[in-house]
Amino acid sequence: MHVDVAKEVATLEVMSVSELRAKYAQVFGEETRAGNKRWLVRRIIWRLQALAEGDLSERARKRASELANDADLRLNPPKLASVVSPNKHSTPTTPKPDNRLPPAGQILRRLYKGRLVHVRILPKGFEFDGAVFQSLSAVAKVITGSHTNGFLFFKLLDQGGSQ
């Protein structure tokens, strides 16, 4: 079987994703759920070349198998180590609050497009218009309609929330 790679690439490039998925099933003998056109084209071309010019030699397959068996593969993510305090107790430490924020209970005020915006700082989050948000950036995004750094939006650049 001889494959003209340039011709095949040109043919595959103009195909739709559904046509590429059908071609993938024809070439590989199994369905795919992939919808990335670029990936499908590359995989199909690779398979056509392998079929036309021969696949890996038996020696190369054996060596790849040896390397795969020898590799230490992680099947589970690493467990998080608890932070140990200097006095060797095993109680995890709580994260420090951001020093750019005023203490919980304070209200941030900002004039934005003629509207005075009020955001209450909670122990874990921020309250704006009756809704609780986990970050100032989320509040700023609701207010502005676009992604904005919350600390910059509320002008909390210095330590302790001073402007």
Side-chain angles (χ1 to χ4, degrees):
M1 176 182 195
H2 180 69
V3 175
D4 182 6
V5 177
K7 183 179 175 185
E8 283 292 331
V9 170
T11 304
L12 293 172
E13 289 289 341
V14 296
M15 291 177 138
S16 68
V17 172
S18 58
E19 292 171 328
L20 286 171
R21 290 174 70 180
K23 180 74 172 180
Y24 183 96
Q26 174 192 356
V27 172
F28 282 91
E30 64 185 32
E31 298 286 323
T32 180
R33 292 184 292 163
N36 186 313
K37 184 174 180 175
R38 194 79 222 123
W39 184 86
L40 287 167
V41 168
R42 289 178 178 173
R43 289 284 294 171
I44 293 168
I45 289 296
W46 172 84
R47 182 66 174 173
L48 291 174
Q49 283 180 324
L51 292 174
E53 299 171 13
D55 208 354
L56 291 174
S57 67
E58 190 57 39
R59 180 174 171 240
R61 283 186 183 279
K62 185 177 178 185
R63 180 65 180 141
S65 178
E66 290 170 1
L67 290 172
N69 286 335
D70 192 37
D72 292 330
L73 298 178
R74 182 181 296 276
L75 299 176
N76 295 321
K79 295 193 189 293
L80 296 175
S82 61
V83 178
V84 180
S85 60
N87 61 4
K88 307 280 187 204
H89 289 99
S90 62
T91 57
T93 60
T94 57
K96 295 179 183 177
D98 195 320
N99 63 355
R100 295 174 289 181
L101 287 174
Q106 296 286 322
I107 296 177
L108 299 174
R109 291 174 183 84
R110 167 105 194 307
L111 186 63
Y112 180 73
K113 292 189 176 181
R115 176 182 170 204
L116 188 59
V117 177
H118 298 275
V119 175
R120 180 182 303 276
I121 300 174
L122 303 174
K124 291 187 179 182
F126 304 91
E127 181 185 351
F128 172 69
D129 278 351
V132 177
F133 298 88
Q134 291 192 5
S135 71
L136 272 179
S137 294
V139 176
K141 184 174 185 177
V142 169
I143 294 168
T144 63
S146 64
H147 180 72
T148 305
N149 182 307
F151 289 103
L152 291 176
F153 180 78
F154 288 101
K155 300 176 183 167
L156 298 173
L157 303 175
D158 297 334
Q159 291 187 2
S162 62
Q163 295 182 2

